[in-house]
Amino acid sequence: MWLKQALLALGVASTSCLTQTSGNGTSPNPDHRGPLWGVSSPPFYPSPWMDGSGGWEEAYRKAQKFVKQLTLLEKVNLTTGVGWQGEECVGNVGAIPRLGFRSLCMHDAPLGVRNVDYVSAFSAGGTVAASWDRQLFRQRGYMMGSEFRDKGIDVQLGPVVGPLGRIPAGGRNWEGFSPDPVLSGVAVAQTVKGIQDAGVIACTKHYIVNEQEHFRQTPEAAGYGYSIKESSSSNLDDVAMHELYLWPFADAVRAGTGAIMCSYQQINNSYGCQNSYTMNYLLKGELGFQGFVMSDWQAQHSGVSSALAGMDMSMPGDTSFLTGVSYWGTNLSVAILNGSIPEWRLDDMATRVMASWYYVGRDKTSIPTNFNSWTRDTFGFRHEYGQTDYGLINQHVDVRDEHGRGIRKQAARSTVLLKNKGVLPLTGNEKFTAVFGHDADDAPWGPNGCPDRGCNKGTLAMGWGSGTAEYPYLISPLTAIQAKLLENDKNIQFVTDNYAYGKIAFAARQASVCIAFVNADSGEGYISVDRNEGDRKDLKLWADGETLIQKVAADCNNTIVVIHSVGPVIVSSFKDNPNVTAILWAGLPGQQSGNSIVDILYGDEIPGGKLPFTMGAKREDYGVDILYEPNNGDEAPQDEFNEGILIDYRYFDKMNIAPDYEFGFGLTYTTFTYSNLQIQHHRVDPYKPTRGRTNPAPSLSGNGTNGTVDPSTAQWPANLTYVLGYIYPYLNSTDLGTAAGGADYGLPNDEYLPPHATDGSSQPKIPAGGAPGGNPALYDVLFTVRATITNDGDVPAEEIAQLYVCLGGPRDAVRVLRGFDRVSIQPKGSAVFEADLTRRDLSNWDTGSQNWVITNFTKTVYVGGSSRSLPLKQVLRF
Ligand SMILES: *[C@@H]1O[C@H](CO)[C@@H](O)[C@H](O)[C@H]1NC(C)=O
Ligand SMILES: *[C@@H]1O[C@H](CO)[C@@H](O)[C@H](O)[C@H]1NC(C)=O
Ligand SMILES: *[C@@H]1O[C@H](CO)[C@@H](O)[C@H](O)[C@H]1NC(C)=O
Ligand SMILES: *[C@@H]1O[C@H](CO)[C@@H](O)[C@H](O)[C@H]1NC(C)=O
Ligand SMILES: *[C@@H]1O[C@H](CO)[C@@H](O)[C@H](O)[C@H]1NC(C)=O
Ligand SMILES: *[C@@H]1O[C@H](CO)[C@@H](O)[C@H](O)[C@H]1NC(C)=O
Ligand SMILES: *[C@@H]1O[C@H](CO)[C@@H](O)[C@H](O)[C@H]1NC(C)=O
Ligand SMILES: *[C@@H]1O[C@H](CO)[C@@H](O)[C@H](O)[C@H]1NC(C)=O
Ligand SMILES: *[C@@H]1O[C@H](CO)[C@@H](O)[C@H](O)[C@H]1NC(C)=O
Ligand SMILES: CC(=O)N[C@H]1CO[C@H](CO)[C@@H](O)[C@@H]1O
């Protein structure tokens, strides 16, 4: 009901596949209190215990065997971080010395190993998404995973599908892949498999609807002068949750992701790390997630509640950095001992952690951690906060292998050619080449000069925040172009001061080709760069890139523009300028930036990427924007996702707004003709909702704690070498109230114990569930779609063919992406594009039955080269 209202508010009438309604692009009023204002999340308890299904059987058996031998304190150790800067990695849990089991190491980032030397800086997720290349996704995942493995890391904190990219200005979108759930879903699944093939646990994050930086944490907001008592709440309906935001998480779970990170902000006014509906019901129930949920760093806000709501690991362990106290640790021991949390819940946490560890084979390939993320010094304190345990802490192991070559290739394959008036590729024999823009250059302090890349100096090859890695080197475009042109001893000049207009004009006037590099940066909310508080303040090029391009083009009729950006930027002022002869979007290419763009510019690689998002003419055209100001007094800002599923191209299509460059668009040096659409129908059994009941929660408490253990066995050992600030599982009194160290950290008198939360008996199964990724029948292939693609030109090329479906209902998008493939085709040759349509691909989420349903609306299949170039179409016959 509300959805209809929301659509009416947007001026959208009912539509079907074949007709687009007209709209004027009016965006919803951000201050309007819509139907999602102040909504809540339904409680769901008990927390589902893992059952070892869907390929997890062996890991589950081994994990249970391991957990059975653990004491209460040892299990608590497995679930609780030792505190910020307590150990080598950005997060570690306690060890189990009795069994020689070392402290597990959790470490950033989604594009390479953070805060360490001798690692690679890969292209960002949002950049490689533009390759639409499954093999590349997997290969990149494997390369990253190998580096984490060889540094001695157990869990890589990536990949990212939250943010999905609802809002183009979202600060961390570049860490993820694409605002389209299918492209993101394929990319995340392949990345997870790649990382885990290398023997490292992938942590898919941030769960869920973590779509902006503003107001995600109250202390951070206070730092920007916003006084709010609670983090913002992302409020969304059940359809948008399933059809959009949960979709790629389902793919990650189905691919076997060992960990998931719950997010900072609230969902329907319940914090991401204590929302029983998102963690218990959606993730562990419906999606059958077998791994463990860890908190984002300081995203935990309660002890008992978070445990009962499905969180399995507290990161980094302290309530907030360096407090030395934890919601868990001692308090989790107490909560088990006093019965607030049943021991099966703790057993399940520990089993999930250990099952993931076995699942990726860490029992076979565990390398000791050989670095310390808090310093580059070779010798120092192992415990940075406690300043104890001095010794060799950084072995400076070079784990890069030959990955530099792969990164160069990956970035080139992810470069998107947006415009080309026949000037590309260049030959390298141009008489006079002039390069412009600070984005072409090295940074004055070197590529790692700003901590966590929190500045925009020199060329941009990754955003800022925790999603970064240290560059082993960063090849700037200017360096690489000079090297290329010096092969023929050509003339090359440059002006890298964006504002030196006189010098720019002087160089541009002489040049036979001008290459202007421009950029737009963003990052994580704890760093603000040029008043961009994580999220971008606008979609413009930085350092007045538009004027730079205009000045160059005014004097140079062959101006090539290269954009390094975190996402869409406004290109309207120059895209139709006749002197702008080519435009390339190169994203955030990573360490080989200059070489990758040289490979494209000078013809060693043929451009073939396509946009993983829409480039709109103005920010208003996207229909949604960042909530930049608190809208609820000092209470939690209410971020209403009134647009439902209509983000990015779905919104442009629905409102009939012409983008500058549409989702899925990209040129190469030839054109393609699509023909011969054929649809094969497969007979499959009808969809069966999952029925029956689970087993009761297994009891692994061999040591018989189960609420009956004598607290005297859980006291501080007399001989323990205490590390300052470190989080331990021990009690300092046999009186549980005293031992808990205050009511704030997890005592039941401070928290509400929800009904059924401690019930370990057999539970009804969830109809849309049944296996990791959801009901297995959702992945039945119902149709196979084939089309012939002919390369019209004289050069070999690759085409990224795309399959869209109109689901046909009034609230549906005009079309949604459902398949794609990057196909290599010889000159004048043809190839067959083939894509499967699964039951999930053709279903809508039905809130009433809480399941996926294929509606009776006419469904139409479209095939072509972009979201707006779809020459082939056919109605599906079931
Ligand atoms: C756009 O559409 C909305 C909703 O239909 C309407 O209220 C508004 O006046 C329109 N604006 C323009 C500029 O036409
Ligand atoms: C949020 O609230 C909406 C509206 O009541 C509801 O449809 C949806 O299922 C809720 N989602 C979550 C995650 O709580
Ligand atoms: C818990 O972990 C800490 C830190 O690794 C370790 O010192 C302690 O011995 C562990 N406790 C138990 C009971 O294993
Ligand atoms: C294009 O460049 C030429 C110089 O080559 C200049 O005379 C002309 O004014 C430029 N046109 C535009 C639209 O800037
Ligand atoms: C630029 O102008 C020069 C001189 O008029 C001309 O020879 C050349 O072909 C032009 N280049 C482009 C790309 O239009
Ligand atoms: C733990 O307690 C539950 C419920 O009281 C009981 O069913 C179970 O047998 C107990 N397990 C052990 C190992 O004592
Ligand atoms: C501490 O004492 C216990 C019990 O006597 C013993 O098992 C353990 O090895 C000792 N630990 C250390 C670090 O000395
Ligand atoms: C230990 O007990 C004291 C009271 O004796 C309490 O104030 C303190 O917070 C406790 N320490 C921890 C770590 O729980
Ligand atoms: C489709 O139509 C049939 C026949 O009218 C009806 O039985 C069925 O419930 C409809 N399915 C859905 C999903 O609405
Ligand atoms: C049955 C069982 O697993 N017991 C274990 C309980 O914990 C002690 C150590 O405290 C182990 O030695 C036992 O094997």
Side-chain angles (χ1 to χ4, degrees):
M1 190 57 195
W2 72 270
L3 184 57
K4 200 171 163 198
Q5 285 166 5
L7 289 176
L8 290 175
L10 292 171
V12 178
S14 293
T15 185
S16 77
C17 314
L18 308 173
T19 58
Q20 291 187 6
T21 52
S22 61
N24 63 8
T26 310
S27 58
N29 176 357
D31 296 327
H32 168 71
R33 294 192 171 204
L36 290 167
W37 186 273
V39 289
S40 60
S41 258
F44 186 85
Y45 298 95
S47 186
W49 35 92
M50 81 172 282
D51 61 8
S53 65
W56 285 74
E57 297 78 5
E58 189 189 337
Y60 181 53
R61 253 196 321 275
K62 289 179 179 168
Q64 284 198 321
K65 188 166 172 233
F66 184 88
V67 172
K68 267 185 191 154
Q69 23 162 14
L70 302 185
T71 65
L72 168 72
L73 297 176
E74 288 166 339
K75 284 183 270 194
V76 169
N77 251 11
L78 264 188
T79 65
T80 305
V82 298
W84 180 244
Q85 300 186 333
E87 278 289 349
E88 305 108 322
C89 303
V90 76
N92 282 80
V93 291
I96 307 176
R98 181 175 64 89
L99 301 176
F101 190 81
R102 76 145 199 246
S103 155
L104 294 178
C105 159
M106 280 33 85
H107 204 68
D108 293 316
L111 56 56
V113 191
R114 182 186 179 202
N115 281 343
V116 199
D117 48 17
Y118 304 103
V119 295
S120 303
F122 290 80
S123 315
T127 301
V128 293
S131 74
W132 302 63
D133 182 337
R134 286 174 175 76
Q135 251 181 307
L136 186 157
F137 298 148
R138 186 147 184 173
Q139 179 198 51
R140 171 177 172 272
Y142 184 80
M143 289 177 176
M144 291 196 297
S146 315
E147 297 197 7
F148 279 81
R149 179 194 63 213
D150 293 346
K151 286 286 184 186
I153 295 162
D154 295 283
V155 184
Q156 176 178 356
L157 302 176
V160 170
V161 286
L164 184 68
R166 173 187 181 232
I167 310 159
R172 299 182 78 176
N173 292 358
W174 57 274
E175 294 187 47
F177 299 102
S178 162
D180 181 85
V182 169
L183 178 52
S184 264
V186 169
V188 76
Q190 295 299 321
T191 307
V192 162
K193 285 182 189 162
I195 292 168
Q196 298 196 159
D197 285 349
V200 168
I201 299 168
C203 177
T204 304
K205 62 187 193 175
H206 307 82
Y207 186 74
I208 190 172
V209 286
N210 184 174
E211 297 292 328
Q212 66 168 50
E213 295 305 286
H214 278 75
F215 316 129
R216 61 183 193 147
Q217 294 191 91
T218 55
E220 192 175 279
Y224 294 123
Y226 305 109
S227 172
I228 47 169
K229 290 193 291 203
E230 305 292 345
S231 302
S232 61
S233 176
S234 297
N235 301 342
L236 78 169
D237 70 280
D238 203 22
V239 172
M241 176 61 93
H242 281 86
E243 295 186 11
L244 195 53
Y245 299 100
L246 192 61
W247 184 292
F249 279 102
D251 289 314
V253 170
R254 190 156 181 261
T257 189
I260 298 246
M261 186 188 291
C262 52
S263 58
Y264 287 120
Q265 94 299 338
Q266 306 192 67
I267 304 114
N268 279 16
N269 293 293
S270 168
Y271 275 103
C273 293
Q274 61 192 48
N275 187 316
S276 65
Y277 188 75
T278 54
M279 291 192 292
N280 284 346
Y281 180 70
L282 294 177
L283 182 60
K284 291 181 171 179
E286 188 182 320
L287 297 189
F289 175 54
Q290 300 289 309
F292 62 100
V293 179
M294 75 171 77
S295 68
D296 202 340
W297 272 231
Q298 310 185 102
Q300 186 181 16
H301 293 270
S302 64
V304 173
S305 306
S306 57
L308 296 176
M311 200 182 103
D312 302 300
M313 184 187 278
S314 166
M315 276 291 131
D318 33 13
T319 50
S320 57
F321 293 167
L322 308 180
T323 55
V325 289
S326 178
Y327 292 109
W328 285 6
T330 299
N331 289 302
L332 184 54
S333 304
V334 171
I336 301 287
L337 291 171
N338 73 15
S340 307
I341 300 172
E343 187 151 17
W344 60 255
R345 180 72 268 271
L346 178 64
D347 290 345
D348 182 54
M349 294 177 189
T351 308
R352 287 171 176 275
V353 171
M354 291 312 301
S356 301
W357 191 80
Y358 285 115
Y359 185 78
V360 305
R362 292 206 62 72
D363 50 333
K364 296 177 197 107
T365 62
S366 186
I367 292 166
T369 307
N370 51 44
F371 71 99
N372 186 298
S373 51
W374 314 111
T375 175
R376 284 309 89 70
D377 294 348
T378 304
F379 291 89
F381 295 112
R382 168 167 175 166
H383 310 293
E384 169 69 16
Y385 181 59
Q387 293 281 295
T388 53
D389 219 345
Y390 188 88
L392 173 63
I393 54 170
N394 271 309
Q395 297 176 33
H396 312 288
V397 180
D398 192 333
V399 297
R400 294 172 303 151
D401 206 340
E402 302 265 291
H403 299 161
R405 282 176 219 211
I407 293 167
R408 177 173 182 162
K409 183 101 181 165
Q410 288 159 11
R413 286 180 70 74
S414 306
T415 304
V416 185
L417 180 60
L418 295 172
K419 177 178 181 179
N420 182 19
K421 287 172 64 187
V423 296
L424 290 180
L426 301 170
T427 61
N429 276 313
E430 290 74 21
K431 197 164 182 192
F432 189 125
T433 301
V435 173
F436 299 93
H438 82 100
D439 183 67
D441 202 2
D442 294 320
W445 302 340
N448 301 321
C450 300
D452 296 342
R453 312 296 82 78
C455 63
N456 186 18
K457 297 183 193 299
T459 196
L460 178 70
M462 66 175 76
W464 73 74
S466 68
T468 53
E470 303 291 290
Y471 293 106
Y473 52 75
L474 172 55
I475 306 296
S476 70
L478 184 54
T479 298
I481 291 170
Q482 298 205 58
K484 177 73 191 177
L485 293 174
L486 289 181
E487 286 170 12
N488 296 328
D489 204 30
K490 304 310 290 187
N491 192 353
I492 168 161
Q493 302 295 317
F494 57 86
V495 182
T496 55
D497 176 344
N498 277 29
Y499 303 98
Y501 298 133
K503 310 286 179 196
I504 289 168
F506 183 68
R509 268 201 298 277
Q510 303 170 69
S512 38
V513 56
C514 298
I515 313 177
F517 286 85
V518 289
N519 72 30
D521 201 355
S522 76
E524 192 173 352
Y526 67 90
I527 297 174
S528 171
V529 180
D530 194 18
R531 291 183 297 111
N532 295 270
E533 294 160 0
D535 302 313
R536 283 189 280 170
K537 61 189 177 197
D538 55 44
L539 302 183
K540 291 184 187 148
L541 294 171
W542 286 34
D544 203 1
E546 289 185 68
T547 303
L548 171 76
I549 293 167
Q550 185 206 319
K551 296 285 182 191
V552 173
D555 284 298
C556 182
N557 68 352
N558 188 12
T559 300
I560 295 166
V561 174
V562 178
I563 303 168
H564 288 125
S565 75
V566 289
V569 288
I570 305 300
V571 297
S572 309
S573 71
F574 58 88
K575 84 174 187 40
D576 296 323
N577 183 325
N579 282 359
V580 172
T581 48
I583 305 176
L584 288 153
W585 183 76
L588 304 172
Q591 68 187 45
Q592 288 271 18
S593 178
N595 287 332
S596 304
I597 199 68
V598 156
D599 290 346
I600 292 284
L601 288 170
Y602 295 95
D604 288 329
E605 294 280 347
I606 296 174
K610 293 199 178 185
L611 285 181
F613 49 72
T614 301
M615 286 241 203
K618 48 187 196 304
R619 72 185 301 178
E620 295 77 23
D621 288 354
Y622 291 88
V624 283
D625 213 333
I626 304 288
L627 185 64
Y628 286 104
E629 296 293 331
N631 62 357
N632 195 16
D634 62 355
E635 304 294 332
Q638 298 292 299
D639 196 357
E640 297 180 276
F641 287 34
N642 287 325
E643 74 289 350
I645 58 159
L646 299 177
I647 63 167
D648 199 72
Y649 69 89
R650 298 155 174 229
Y651 184 78
F652 282 76
D653 289 352
K654 198 77 166 186
M655 304 304 278
N656 213 4
I657 300 167
D660 276 342
Y661 296 109
E662 74 267 21
F663 176 84
F665 175 81
L667 301 169
T668 185
Y669 298 143
T670 179
T671 57
F672 302 96
T673 304
Y674 282 76
S675 63
N676 196 23
L677 179 64
Q678 298 199 335
I679 302 182
Q680 182 188 355
H681 187 197
H682 304 284
R683 293 264 152 238
V684 294
D685 289 339
Y687 184 59
K688 279 202 240 11
T690 295
R691 301 202 192 286
R693 301 185 71 87
T694 69
N695 288 325
S699 174
L700 308 179
S701 323
N703 270 294
T705 50
N706 211 16
T708 61
V709 82
D710 179 354
S712 69
T713 63
Q715 300 296 303
W716 285 87
N719 56 0
L720 184 93
T721 318
Y722 172 79
V723 179
L724 180 71
Y726 219 79
I727 307 298
Y728 292 96
Y730 308 110
L731 277 54
N732 68 0
S733 166
T734 48
D735 175 71
L736 295 181
T738 308
D744 285 351
Y745 309 119
L747 273 185
N749 63 359
D750 189 45
E751 298 186 51
Y752 161 73
L753 263 192
H756 313 296
T758 59
D759 182 358
S761 69
S762 154
Q763 300 293 314
K765 290 188 175 169
I766 293 173
N775 192 316
L778 291 172
Y779 300 92
D780 288 346
V781 174
L782 270 48
F783 295 93
T784 299
V785 176
R786 292 185 185 84
T788 304
I789 310 172
T790 307
N791 178 350
D792 305 326
D794 302 323
V795 288
E798 294 184 9
E799 167 69 332
I800 297 166
Q802 298 158 46
L803 161 63
Y804 293 79
V805 171
C806 170
L807 294 170
R811 62 176 199 194
D812 286 320
V814 176
R815 278 180 288 274
V816 286
L817 180 77
R818 284 298 186 254
F820 60 85
D821 200 10
R822 186 162 176 156
V823 190
S824 175
I825 316 175
Q826 289 309 304
K828 305 285 182 214
S830 355
V832 176
F833 163 63
E834 185 178 305
D836 288 334
L837 286 171
T838 65
R839 192 186 312 270
R840 181 178 67 151
D841 289 330
L842 298 173
S843 296
N844 284 94
W845 180 254
D846 181 65
T847 53
S849 64
Q850 281 293 295
N851 217 326
W852 294 92
V853 167
I854 298 181
T855 66
N856 283 335
F857 296 109
T858 303
K859 309 213 182 302
T860 311
V861 162
Y862 297 82
V863 173
S866 84
S867 64
R868 292 205 166 195
S869 169
L870 296 165
L872 305 180
K873 82 174 191 212
Q874 196 172 310
V875 169
L876 281 180
R877 311 230 172 273
F878 285 82

